[in-house]
Amino acid sequence: MTRRARRNHAPAFKAKVALAAIKGEKTLAELAQQFDVHPNQITQWKTQLLESAADVFGAEKGSAKEANVDLKALHAKIGELTLENDFLEGALTKAGLLSAKR
């Protein structure tokens, strides 16, 4: 008997299976057969979903603060790159390697 290659499931698939298990309309054996995964795997995904369900509603507040920090860093980088581009444009124009028609 040959072994099946290890499969990596997409997060959307895991969520779909875990939600089906939480609904309780079918047994784990039926879900395992329907989705072609082991019943223990379904139980693990279900547990992970239940443990991290609160993070779905609370994650927005923390991510807004992080976005401000990243935004400042990005603005600084944009300014730095603009200065570099202006410098290089002037140097290449003086060297005759860049046409003045821009």
Side-chain angles (χ1 to χ4, degrees):
M1 189 167 160
T2 60
R3 294 185 69 184
R4 184 189 320 199
R6 186 178 183 102
R7 296 182 293 174
N8 293 324
H9 298 288
F13 176 77
K14 293 177 184 180
K16 179 180 175 181
V17 174
L19 285 173
I22 290 172
K23 285 181 184 177
E25 295 173 355
K26 294 183 178 181
T27 65
L28 282 178
E30 291 172 337
L31 290 173
Q33 186 176 15
Q34 177 184 349
F35 293 110
D36 193 29
V37 293
H38 198 274
N40 291 345
Q41 188 66 63
I42 295 174
T43 304
Q44 287 176 353
W45 291 342
K46 178 181 170 183
T47 304
Q48 287 176 354
L49 179 64
L50 292 173
E51 288 175 354
S52 63
D55 296 339
V56 172
F57 297 105
E60 292 179 22
K61 294 178 184 176
S63 65
K65 292 178 183 176
E66 292 175 12
N68 291 337
V69 173
D70 291 337
L71 190 60
K72 289 179 183 178
L74 290 174
H75 281 290
K77 189 64 174 177
I78 289 171
E80 187 180 318
L81 292 173
T82 302
L83 285 173
E84 288 179 11
N85 283 340
D86 290 344
F87 173 78
L88 289 174
E89 182 181 5
L92 290 174
T93 303
K94 286 182 184 177
L97 297 174
L98 185 66
S99 66
K101 298 179 187 178
R102 261 192 136 201

